[in-house]
Amino acid sequence: MFQRELRVIFLLVCVLKSFALSSSKVEQPLLIRPTYVYESLIKGVHDYFNNTCVILFHGSPNFIETKGQCRGERERERERVHAIGGGTLLPYESSSIFSGFEEMDGLLSLQRYFSGSLNIRTSIMDFRMFKSRVGKTYHQIKRPLFVLLNDRDDIKEQFAQVSKWIAMAYPTWLLFLRDDTSFEEFLSNVYVPFDCILMVAQRDSEGSGEIVRDVYRIAKGDILRSMKFGAWDGIRGFRGPQLGLYQRRHDLHGRNLRVVSIHDPPVSRILRVGVGGFFGEVIQLLQQAMNCTFTYKVASSWGVQLPNGTWTGSIRMLVEDEADLAATELMMTSERLEAVKFTTPVYSTKCRVYIKRPDSTAVKWNAYLAPFAVNIWNAIALTIVLAALSIAGIDAFSKRSDSAISPEFARSSTSHKFSEIVLFVYGAFCGQGMEPSPYDPIRLVHLSVHLTAVVVLAAYSAALISYLAIKTFAMPFTTMEGLLEDSTYRFAVVDESADYTFFQNTSDRVLAVMFEELLTNERDLPVNYLDGLKRVCRENKYAFMTLDNMASVLQGKLDCALVPLDAMMQTTIAMAVPADSPYRGIIDTNILLLRDSGILQRLLQAEWSSSAHHRSKTGWTSVELEDAMPLLLFLLSAFLLTCLVLLFERLVSRNRDAAQRTASN
């Protein structure tokens, strides 16, 4: 009697325990879709995004190990029940025992399908295991696909905790929900950033397929927004969207973005109601394209990294989450890349040092020979000789013929030596006239010589004027080595800028010496490029490093002419956002659209051409003494040579007269 009561009590306890376990599993199963749905839909998403691996998340911690232990306990309980009373398990108890094994087999079959059949690296784990085994090293996994297999309460809680420390935009997310589960309620405690790809799969109204929705938030605290991403059914499989991410998410719905800029005219000018200049035009176009609003802040500098690791200027404001976008010309450097993220480059330019143009120009010793090449001068000389030979030959032949006909006319005509004829022809090329000849053939030669001389003289005059108009100034140096060796120039860059960091961290020996000997001695560095270039004009022997386009734009605002040294490096200019900014992608997309449509280039040309128009000045370019120095020296040399020849002739004439008087005596 006692044994029978004990048997009944034990059976009752087992039934109640199994019923409770069975009820919980029925309410929140691990697999809420048939296995073939998981296989086909996950494969379709994996192929669409070209993921490298798949991690299947379930809600139960240590599920496989727990089910294995549970299986042993169930078998032992079955044996004890049969041993005690020879009874059998109730039907619902049998289902509760084997339902867990079926789910475990389903998970393992998913892993075997992806890893074995499709060669896709696949893991099964819960979020607690993921945090303990992977943790912060998840960035070492390239393009992962994270799949939440169900919407159990435990996976909901774990997912909410994981979303607080993981970069949600790094993996691709796929979440399976039951029909009666709302994604707003499931993701109520999860921040899904604007650039995160999180897809929610639920059965369609007919129950034969799946509707996949794209879910995100524009900002923390904002409502969850969704749009249809794709669909799946057993016949056609998964069908994703044709448009890219930011073609679908192109609207920020009036979200306010904090923009920081610095006063660096003309590319960025701080106005009372915003930012002007080139970057002001760019962010206005971005505001219209993204449907957002901007509030503006002013930074004192671009920003450099201090020895303690902190930043200054606009970079500090991005790092400390005081701004969402730095709309100014920022150089892309390795130090800044570790603190912030840069947008798509806006333009590229060269960086070099500028000095004030020297007052004196270099003497062009070949100024009066350079307009014509050597072969042209040889051709002109040959033409003079041939023309002289033609005139001399025609004159000799004509006189011989005339002497046979009329000796008196032949004796009355004037004859010249060949050297005199050469000088006459040369004089014609210099714009002088020639003595008329009574012979028509010689007159024709004279006409040809004069016509050729007019063309040659006009071409030479035009080329000479153009050559003299181009001034070549005598540069004291053209390289950074020359600037360092000169040691009379001061050198500066913009304070708290990438230029300063470049010299501070350079491995080049010459640049490092310049930083130690010249740059560190400057206590009052310019605040922007305009300030630095004005100091170049105002101060004596002042060198300043800037961008080529900035020097070109600002030349009209200066009262001196600038000359550049050799280019130091090619640099890329871009805007910047915080390292974890969800808006970098949509900003990059719109900048690329501005570039591809030609609007960005038109803004650049309009800014540069406008500045060039203001700096253009009408006036004559005067010829300085240095330009006429070769001609003056030639005239002086010719005068001295003439005096020497005159003196020599006088001496020869005096000696001849003395000799004649001696002979007559």
Side-chain angles (χ1 to χ4, degrees):
M1 186 69 180
F2 177 77
Q3 292 181 351
R4 182 179 299 177
E5 293 177 351
L6 182 62
R7 187 185 304 118
V8 172
I9 294 173
F10 181 78
L11 288 174
L12 182 61
V13 170
C14 289
V15 169
L16 293 175
K17 181 178 179 182
S18 300
F19 179 77
L21 182 61
S22 174
S23 300
S24 65
K25 299 304 178 186
V26 172
E27 290 178 359
Q28 294 185 338
L30 291 179
L31 298 178
I32 58 178
R33 300 286 194 281
T35 304
Y36 72 90
V37 176
Y38 282 113
E39 291 176 350
S40 179
L41 183 52
I42 293 174
K43 178 182 181 300
V45 173
H46 169 274
D47 295 342
Y48 181 86
F49 289 102
N50 193 26
N51 300 113
T52 60
C53 63
V54 177
I55 298 181
L56 305 175
F57 289 98
H58 58 80
S60 177
N62 303 322
F63 174 75
I64 297 178
E65 294 85 349
T66 302
K67 290 302 177 184
Q69 296 173 0
C70 180
R71 181 175 183 178
E73 293 176 358
R74 293 297 180 187
E75 293 296 334
R76 287 192 295 273
E77 289 180 4
R78 182 189 296 273
E79 294 174 359
R80 284 197 298 270
V81 169
H82 283 281
I84 294 175
T88 58
L89 294 176
L90 298 177
Y92 58 80
E93 183 184 4
S94 176
S95 64
S96 68
I97 291 175
F98 293 104
S99 62
F101 301 140
E102 293 176 358
E103 290 180 341
M104 180 182 68
D105 292 339
L107 284 175
L108 294 178
S109 66
L110 285 177
Q111 186 180 32
R112 286 194 300 269
Y113 173 73
F114 291 122
S115 299
S117 302
L118 303 180
N119 294 321
I120 300 173
R121 292 180 297 170
T122 307
S123 299
I124 302 175
M125 63 180 66
D126 59 47
F127 282 111
R128 293 189 181 93
M129 184 188 301
F130 174 77
K131 185 174 182 180
S132 61
R133 295 186 179 181
V134 181
K136 297 294 185 179
T137 62
Y138 67 88
H139 280 289
Q140 299 177 6
I141 308 174
K142 304 298 183 183
R143 302 193 310 277
L145 173 60
F146 289 176
V147 181
L148 281 65
L149 297 172
N150 56 64
D151 54 3
R152 292 164 53 114
D153 293 338
D154 49 2
I155 200 171
K156 173 183 175 182
E157 296 174 359
Q158 295 172 26
F159 184 41
Q161 294 296 324
V162 169
S163 66
K164 295 178 181 179
W165 59 266
I166 193 174
M168 289 290 293
Y170 185 76
T172 304
W173 299 91
L174 177 60
L175 168 62
F176 286 89
L177 297 182
R178 290 172 296 178
D179 298 342
D180 56 348
T181 302
S182 169
F183 69 84
E184 291 91 349
E185 191 275 331
F186 186 87
L187 300 172
S188 59
N189 296 324
V190 177
Y191 170 51
V192 185
F194 182 77
D195 57 343
C196 176
I197 302 176
L198 191 150
M199 296 161 290
V200 176
Q202 285 184 305
R203 291 190 299 183
D204 56 19
S205 59
E206 299 177 356
S208 60
E210 299 282 335
I211 299 297
V212 182
R213 302 191 66 82
D214 195 6
V215 180
Y216 64 95
R217 300 180 192 268
I218 292 181
K220 288 184 178 181
D222 189 41
I223 62 173
L224 275 169
R225 303 177 187 271
S226 65
M227 63 182 67
K228 185 177 179 180
F229 182 82
W232 175 91
D233 57 52
I235 299 176
R236 292 177 293 177
F238 175 74
R239 302 177 302 280
Q242 299 296 324
L243 300 178
L245 176 62
Y246 296 106
Q247 290 177 301
R248 305 190 309 272
R249 301 183 192 176
H250 56 82
D251 193 346
L252 292 181
H253 298 278
R255 167 69 179 172
N256 179 66
L257 299 182
R258 300 161 298 174
V259 176
V260 60
S261 186
I262 68 169
H263 187 64
D264 184 32
V267 293
S268 59
R269 297 190 300 269
I270 303 300
L271 308 176
R272 291 191 302 174
V273 293
V275 178
F278 169 73
F279 283 95
E281 295 288 342
V282 172
I283 62 175
Q284 288 299 322
L285 293 173
L286 293 179
Q287 180 179 3
Q288 297 174 8
M290 299 188 300
N291 187 23
C292 62
T293 59
F294 289 146
T295 55
Y296 301 94
K297 298 184 178 182
V298 181
S300 59
S301 63
W302 287 287
V304 295
Q305 190 174 23
L306 301 177
N308 60 5
T310 61
W311 287 84
T312 64
S314 61
I315 303 297
R316 179 196 64 80
M317 298 180 70
L318 294 176
V319 171
E320 298 181 1
D321 195 27
E322 296 181 9
D324 299 309
L325 174 65
T328 185
E329 66 279 16
L330 290 171
M331 291 186 187
M332 301 177 68
T333 63
S334 57
E335 295 82 6
R336 289 176 173 176
L337 283 171
E338 296 177 357
V340 298
K341 297 297 183 182
F342 286 93
T343 65
T344 296
V346 180
Y347 60 86
S348 296
T349 184
K350 291 182 179 180
C351 189
R352 69 179 84 212
V353 174
Y354 283 80
I355 62 175
K356 183 166 60 175
R357 190 178 68 185
D359 295 331
S360 60
T361 59
V363 178
K364 301 178 182 179
W365 295 106
N366 63 336
Y368 296 91
L369 296 176
F372 284 165
V374 176
N375 55 354
I376 296 181
W377 288 118
N378 294 335
I380 293 174
L382 181 61
T383 301
I384 294 174
V385 173
L386 292 177
L389 290 174
S390 299
I391 294 173
I394 294 173
D395 183 66
F397 178 78
S398 299
K399 285 184 178 181
R400 189 177 302 109
S401 301
D402 291 342
S403 62
I405 299 173
S406 177
E408 296 181 355
F409 179 78
R411 286 193 297 269
S412 63
S413 61
T414 305
S415 65
H416 299 283
K417 298 180 180 178
F418 178 75
S419 59
E420 294 177 343
I421 298 175
V422 170
L423 291 177
F424 291 151
V425 177
Y426 174 74
F429 274 87
C430 294
Q432 301 296 320
M434 298 179 67
E435 183 178 351
S437 174
Y439 304 110
D440 291 337
I442 295 180
R443 292 174 182 174
L444 292 176
V445 174
H446 286 180
L447 177 62
S448 301
V449 169
H450 280 289
L451 291 177
T452 304
V454 168
V455 175
V456 171
L457 184 60
Y460 176 79
S461 301
L464 179 63
I465 293 172
S466 301
Y467 189 79
L468 292 178
I470 301 175
K471 296 183 180 297
T472 303
F473 293 89
M475 293 287 292
F477 43 79
T478 58
T479 62
M480 301 300 290
E481 292 86 348
L483 174 61
L484 184 61
E485 293 174 357
D486 183 271
S487 71
T488 61
Y489 273 75
R490 296 166 57 192
F491 176 67
V493 298
V494 175
D495 191 18
E496 297 187 13
S497 65
D499 304 338
Y500 189 89
T501 306
F502 171 73
F503 280 90
Q504 188 178 26
N505 301 327
T506 184
S507 58
D508 186 89
R509 182 188 61 83
V510 175
L511 300 183
V513 173
M514 289 188 63
F515 177 78
E516 295 294 336
E517 296 185 2
L518 298 179
L519 196 54
T520 54
N521 294 329
E522 293 293 327
R523 302 302 179 187
D524 181 24
L525 292 174
V527 296
N528 53 40
Y529 290 128
L530 179 59
D531 183 23
L533 293 177
K534 284 184 177 180
R535 296 190 188 189
V536 172
C537 294
R538 184 174 62 249
E539 302 183 16
N540 186 32
K541 293 190 175 182
Y542 193 90
F544 178 72
M545 191 174 82
T546 182
L547 306 177
D548 278 356
N549 68 297
M550 293 301 298
S552 176
V553 170
L554 296 174
Q555 178 66 76
K557 299 179 180 293
L558 307 176
D559 54 3
C560 72
L562 302 175
V563 288
L565 304 186
D566 294 343
M568 295 180 59
M569 60 179 176
Q570 185 82 17
T571 184
T572 302
I573 303 300
M575 297 184 288
V577 296
D580 57 350
S581 173
Y583 310 114
R584 179 190 176 194
I586 189 173
I587 293 174
D588 286 347
T589 300
N590 283 278
I591 291 177
L592 289 175
L593 290 175
L594 292 177
R595 177 187 298 174
D596 294 342
S597 62
I599 296 178
L600 194 62
Q601 188 65 24
R602 181 179 61 81
L603 290 177
L604 285 171
Q605 292 177 352
E607 186 68 36
W608 304 163
S609 62
S610 175
S611 301
H613 174 73
H614 288 301
R615 71 170 178 266
S616 63
K617 298 179 180 179
T618 303
W620 296 98
T621 301
S622 60
V623 178
E624 299 180 1
L625 180 62
E626 290 80 1
D627 298 326
M629 186 63 68
L631 181 59
L632 297 177
L633 292 178
F634 175 76
L635 293 176
L636 179 61
S637 301
F639 176 74
L640 294 176
L641 180 62
T642 303
C643 293
L644 291 176
V645 172
L646 177 60
L647 180 61
F648 177 76
E649 289 181 350
R650 295 298 296 172
L651 292 175
V652 171
S653 176
R654 184 179 300 174
N655 292 334
R656 184 183 302 165
D657 293 341
Q660 291 177 356
R661 286 196 298 269
T662 303
S664 62
N665 293 332

